[in-house]
């Protein structure tokens, strides 16, 4: 098969994958960015790879496009994730809340508005009434402040795979991290631990803060919620939507944390033998 034939087959595979993932036909745009980049690489090569499911890739992608400050990609990916049924509306709304904590409330506000608009659009297209949201109350988390801090402390240790937790008397750490982030958000129903890990790693990947990217990559690997191979695929999907320079940094952190986790597992095995 010649180069032209190979290129044509790749483009056909990319256009087919685009339609499958996005639930609508690809645009007619023939620019190099669209054909060589989005169609021939992102959809023909990245979205079709094994290891991560399409659903997994959606959580990573949604986080990246919600951060991008460009409206249409977020509209398109929210619509596709809901229209395909890969992500339920409950999961999507929980993903918005989780994103808000790790990427900021202003961007999450826009994300939330777009989710509501696309959910209504999907039902309008299907000539169906838009269902009412699930009731917020009763919350499943403790209402007593002391109980919330105790639960938040335990969840912090569990999620981060650490034997310690932050000082509760610091307002940022106590009221924010222990009371809300780990006393409420990480233990809310409606979104799996795996999905929360995928969203979090994507968010800390584009935030450029050195400690969170290290700690959350480490915890996702140490907990075995995300395997070593899956984490490498996460970095590639992330690179397609947040850029290869940031993905290169994320990959470096992944490599370092793999070595750290392997050393710890070896030490634990020796202790238990």
């Amino acid at each position: 098969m010649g180069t032209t034939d190979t290129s044509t087959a790749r483009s056909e595979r990319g256009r087919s994958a685009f339609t499958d993932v996005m639930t609508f036909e690809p645009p007619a745009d023939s620019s190099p960015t669209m054909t060589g980049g989005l169609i021939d690489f992102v959809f023909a090569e990245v979205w079709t790879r094994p290891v991560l499911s399409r659903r997994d890739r959606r959580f990573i992608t949604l986080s990246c496009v919600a951060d991008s400050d460009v409206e249409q990609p977020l509209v398109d990916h929210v619509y596709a994730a809901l229209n395909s049924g890969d992500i339920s509306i409950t999961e999507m709304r929980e993903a918005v809340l989780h994103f808000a904590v790790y990427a900021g409330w202003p961007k999450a506000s826009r994300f939330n508005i777009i989710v509501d608009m696309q959910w209504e659009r999907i039902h309008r297209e299907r000539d169906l009434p838009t269902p009412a949201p699930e009731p917020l109350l009763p919350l499943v988390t403790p209402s007593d402040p002391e109980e919330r801090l105790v639960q938040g402390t335990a969840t912090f240790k569990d999620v981060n795979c650490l034997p310690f937790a932050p000082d509760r008397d610091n307002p940022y750490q106590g009221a924010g991290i222990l009371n809300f982030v780990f006393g409420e958000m990480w233990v809310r129903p409606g979104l799996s631990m795996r999905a929360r890990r995928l969203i979090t790693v994507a968010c800390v990947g584009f935030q450029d803060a050195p400690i969170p990217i290290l700690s959350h990559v480490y915890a996702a690997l140490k907990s075995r919620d995300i395997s070593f191979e899956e984490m490498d695929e996460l970095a590639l999907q992330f690179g397609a939507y947040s850029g290869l320079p940031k993905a290169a940094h994320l990959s470096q952190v992944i490599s370092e944390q793999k070595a750290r986790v392997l050393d710890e597992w070896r030490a634990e095995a020796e202790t238990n033998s």
Side-chain angles (χ1 to χ4, degrees):
M1 181 181 288
T3 303
T4 302
D5 292 338
T6 303
S7 178
T8 300
R10 189 184 193 208
S11 292
E12 290 175 352
R13 186 171 73 251
R15 294 181 71 82
S16 175
F18 182 101
T19 303
D20 184 52
V21 170
M22 302 306 295
T23 72
F24 56 84
E25 295 291 325
D29 185 353
S30 60
S31 67
T33 300
M34 177 60 68
T35 56
L38 191 65
I39 299 298
D40 290 3
F41 175 64
V42 175
F43 283 95
E45 302 295 339
V46 177
W47 277 93
T48 57
R49 288 173 61 86
V51 181
L52 287 179
S53 68
R54 189 175 74 177
R55 169 183 161 85
D56 288 338
R57 293 181 187 276
R58 289 205 190 275
F59 285 116
I60 301 160
T61 303
L62 284 165
S63 302
C64 294
V65 296
D67 175 65
S68 70
D69 299 324
V70 181
E71 192 89 352
Q72 197 58 47
L74 180 55
V75 169
D76 290 346
H77 281 284
V78 167
Y79 174 83
L82 292 172
N83 195 41
S84 65
D86 288 345
I87 298 177
S88 72
I89 186 59
T90 298
E91 291 171 323
M92 184 67 80
R93 286 176 172 147
E94 286 295 324
V96 171
L97 175 61
H98 201 99
F99 174 89
V101 168
Y102 288 100
W105 294 90
K107 290 192 177 191
S109 176
R110 183 186 62 155
F111 190 178
N112 190 59
I113 289 168
I114 288 174
V115 167
D116 286 345
M117 291 175 63
Q118 297 312 300
W119 187 234
E120 189 278 331
R121 170 191 169 190
I122 288 167
H123 285 80
R124 186 174 65 250
E125 290 176 347
R126 298 175 183 180
D127 197 24
L128 295 171
T130 305
E134 293 184 8
L136 176 66
L137 299 177
L139 293 174
V140 299
T141 48
S143 57
D144 179 77
E146 180 63 31
E147 289 182 23
R148 285 178 64 87
L149 286 170
V150 170
Q151 175 169 280
T153 298
T155 304
F156 179 94
K157 294 177 181 178
D158 182 56
V159 169
N160 290 285
C161 302
L162 293 172
F164 57 84
D167 176 9
R168 59 186 273 176
D169 293 321
N170 176 291
Y172 170 79
Q173 295 170 177
I177 299 298
L178 298 179
N179 179 69
F180 177 65
V181 178
F182 292 96
E184 169 69 27
M185 188 199 68
W186 273 92
V187 295
R188 283 179 57 81
L191 200 60
S192 68
M193 177 62 73
R194 178 181 177 83
R196 293 187 186 278
R197 296 280 194 198
L198 295 170
I199 294 166
T200 304
V201 172
C203 288
V204 297
F206 57 63
Q207 288 288 29
D208 302 319
I211 301 303
I213 188 172
L214 183 157
S215 64
H216 282 289
V217 168
Y218 165 78
L221 294 172
K222 183 66 183 288
S223 65
R224 292 183 168 89
D225 288 332
I226 300 177
S227 73
F228 284 20
E229 190 178 11
E230 288 169 337
M231 189 65 84
D232 288 336
E233 282 296 318
L234 188 161
L236 177 60
Q237 187 78 21
F238 172 88
Y241 287 93
S242 282
L244 294 178
K246 286 182 183 287
H249 176 61
L250 176 57
S251 292
Q252 179 61 37
V253 174
I254 290 169
S255 178
E256 293 167 355
Q257 296 313 302
K258 282 181 182 178
R260 174 186 174 188
V261 168
L262 285 173
D263 286 344
E264 291 182 355
W265 284 345
R266 280 193 288 267
E268 289 165 7
E270 291 172 1
T271 300
N272 295 328
S273 62

